[in-house]
Amino acid sequence: MSDIKALAFSGSTRKDSWNGKLINEVAHLAEEKGITVTRLHLNDYPLPIYNGDLEERDGLPTTAIELQNLFNAHNILLIATPEYNGFFPALLKNTLDWTSRPTDTQGASASFTGKPVGLFAASPGRLGGIRALGHLRSQMADLGAIVSGTGVSVGEAHNAFDANGKLTSEPLIDMIDSQLAALMTQTA
Ligand SMILES: Cc1cc2nc3c(=O)[nH]c(=O)nc-3n(C[C@H](O)[C@H](O)[C@H](O)COP(=O)(O)O)c2cc1C
């Protein structure tokens, strides 16, 4: 058992989300490597769309502070993103925008600076959300995170899981495993 703690979440809160299934599988594979995984559901942390006036008036929403604390308490972030019109979704952007804001106790982007992040994407399309993955990679790097590899995308996601939500492609599982192994070497 390692003392590495990973926070795993999906940029889709849809009930039958492919990215939800994918991040569950990533979390399961991480646990098999001895990583302690917390599965975060963004539905549990609702945030208004970022607005500077709102922040000036009320400060950060409690949920944003709670998310910052959660990010801070983990050595690795594991994120699965859907692709909406070639980009990662507004939910993810809004979550990153609020949680990158400085507070009395930490500077801007401090929850991400130097933190190893593994990125994943799933889509019913053949490209598997690879464009969203690229944009998210650039976003996370901009926040100071250490983005491991190029990420893993799952195309034709509707054919990728069995009835129990398990990934059926061994090469894909191997790619996720390699990504996780690389992430483990990046934790201090
Ligand atoms: C507004 C919108 C835009 C989309 N754009 C893309 C796209 O650019 N590429 C793609 O592969 N799928 C696209 N899709 C399809 C999503 O990949 C699909 O809805 C997927 O199931 C969403 O992820 P989820 O299953 O995790 O919720 C789009 C869906 C929506 C609602």
Side-chain angles (χ1 to χ4, degrees):
M1 200 70 175
S2 74
D3 55 0
I4 302 175
K5 290 192 224 150
L7 185 67
F9 59 100
S10 159
S12 171
T13 52
R14 197 171 68 83
K15 179 167 52 74
D16 295 321
S17 161
W18 300 117
N19 286 282
K21 289 187 196 339
L22 176 57
I23 202 67
N24 286 343
E25 280 289 85
V26 171
H28 173 68
L29 291 166
E31 281 169 345
E32 281 188 347
K33 290 192 166 320
I35 298 174
T36 303
V37 182
T38 306
R39 177 71 166 88
L40 162 67
H41 295 268
L42 291 180
N43 263 342
D44 297 334
Y45 295 84
L47 287 166
I49 295 288
Y50 179 82
N51 177 304
D53 293 336
L54 203 61
E55 184 184 10
E56 201 173 306
R57 194 188 68 199
D58 301 333
L60 260 59
T62 309
T63 42
I65 306 271
E66 287 170 352
L67 282 170
Q68 285 183 335
N69 291 338
L70 257 180
F71 294 158
N72 295 346
H74 291 81
N75 326 74
I76 293 178
L77 301 181
L78 302 169
I79 310 174
T81 184
E83 180 171 279
Y84 287 171
N85 298 317
F87 216 80
F88 60 88
L91 170 68
L92 214 41
K93 185 73 170 78
N94 195 48
T95 301
L96 296 171
D97 287 344
W98 273 117
T99 54
S100 69
R101 298 299 295 154
T103 65
D104 289 345
T105 54
Q106 67 176 50
S109 307
S111 296
F112 304 102
T113 308
K115 183 153 301 197
V117 178
L119 300 179
F120 306 86
S123 163
R126 279 202 299 183
L127 295 181
I130 201 161
R131 292 176 299 164
L133 208 51
H135 292 303
L136 185 56
R137 183 172 212 291
S138 155
Q139 166 73 102
M140 296 313 298
D142 196 66
L143 292 171
I146 303 165
V147 188
S148 184
T150 53
V152 179
S153 62
V154 178
E156 300 190 13
H158 52 293
N159 294 323
F161 299 88
D162 69 16
N164 297 317
K166 296 270 152 217
L167 281 168
T168 54
S169 162
E170 284 299 330
L172 206 51
I173 291 168
D174 287 347
M175 282 168 75
I176 295 172
D177 255 335
S178 305
Q179 178 79 87
L180 291 168
L183 274 165
M184 287 176 83
T185 65
Q186 286 168 329
T187 54

